[in-house]
Amino acid sequence: QVQLVQSGAEVSQPGASVKFSCQASGYIFTYYYIHWVRQAPGQGLEWMASINPSGGSTSYSQNFRGRVSVTRETSTSTVNMELTSLRSEDTAIYYCARGAVAGYLDYWGQGTLVTVSS
Amino acid sequence: QSVLSQPPSVSGAPGQTVTITCTGSNSNIGADYDVHWYQHLPGTAPKLLIYANVNRPSGVPDRFSGSKSGTSASLAITGLQADDEAHYYCQSYDSSLSGSGVFGGGTKLTVL
């Protein structure tokens, strides 16, 4: 069965960077995009980025361009996200999700809580 | 401000029908990008409800249906049940944002 398992919660300071991961299983990793979506407290869902695991090409939301980097490791079917220059507004649950060809997100990870606090 | 606009809240009594709209523009929904819908319950990951405007994944009841016309899309829920109470989000892509994904602001459905 398709599973996306995300790494555990992180606490970081303002101005620092944070890196977290999403490991896929149950399907051919290179056949589907992986997207990142976040939800800040009391806010809606926000699309952040996507990666094509086949070639590694990425797409980033303009809201995060320059602060976010998404990479993949095909040997472990893992996608990593790094967010830099953290601010308190980056406190959120970060989800990875599998993206089908038509662009919908059919399987989701359990979420990684990132807390930015001094 | 979200690129896709949804009403912040809708409500209905059990058994009734509610419709949630998602209004976009000529650079997203109107540019022929498909619209997808998700149900989000607190403390859980979002769940795909409708994909490619009108299709239901396996296991989603036929009480949920989607439609798209012009620069808007809609999600209809018939025969409301208490466990339908959740947040609902539309999602698409936008050519003016280099093809980035976009979500609606979300709609909280309250079952009275």
Side-chain angles (χ1 to χ4, degrees), chain A residues 15-52:
Chain A
S17 299
V18 66
K19 190 172 184 178
F20 41 92
S21 66
C22 170
Q23 185 170 37
S25 62
Y27 70 97
I28 298 175
F29 179 63
T30 53
Y31 279 17
Y32 295 84
Y33 280 59
I34 292 290
H35 296 247
W36 289 93
V37 175
R38 78 176 186 180
Q39 184 179 38
Q43 303 298 311
L45 301 178
E46 183 176 20
W47 186 89
M48 298 181 69
S50 66
I51 186 167
N52 180 351

Side-chain angles (χ1 to χ4, degrees), chain B residues 5-13 16-22 37 75-77 80 84-89 106-112:
Chain B
S5 297
Q6 298 181 233
S9 63
V10 297
S11 62
Q16 288 190 331
T17 296
V18 296
T19 300
I20 299 171
T21 57
C22 175
W37 291 90
L75 172 70
I77 309 172
L80 269 180
D84 294 333
E85 189 160 294
H87 282 88
Y88 293 83
Y89 295 89
T107 299
K108 173 64 190 299
L109 167 62
T110 300
V111 180
L112 302 170

Side-chain angles (χ1 to χ4, degrees), chain A residues 35 39 44 95 102-105 109, chain B residues 36 38 40 44-45 51 89 91 93:
Chain A
H35 296 247
Q39 184 179 38
Y95 295 100
Y104 55 89
L105 310 181
Chain B
H36 320 294
Y38 303 87
H40 194 198
T44 69
Y51 67 94
Y89 295 89
Q91 179 245 321
Y93 294 83

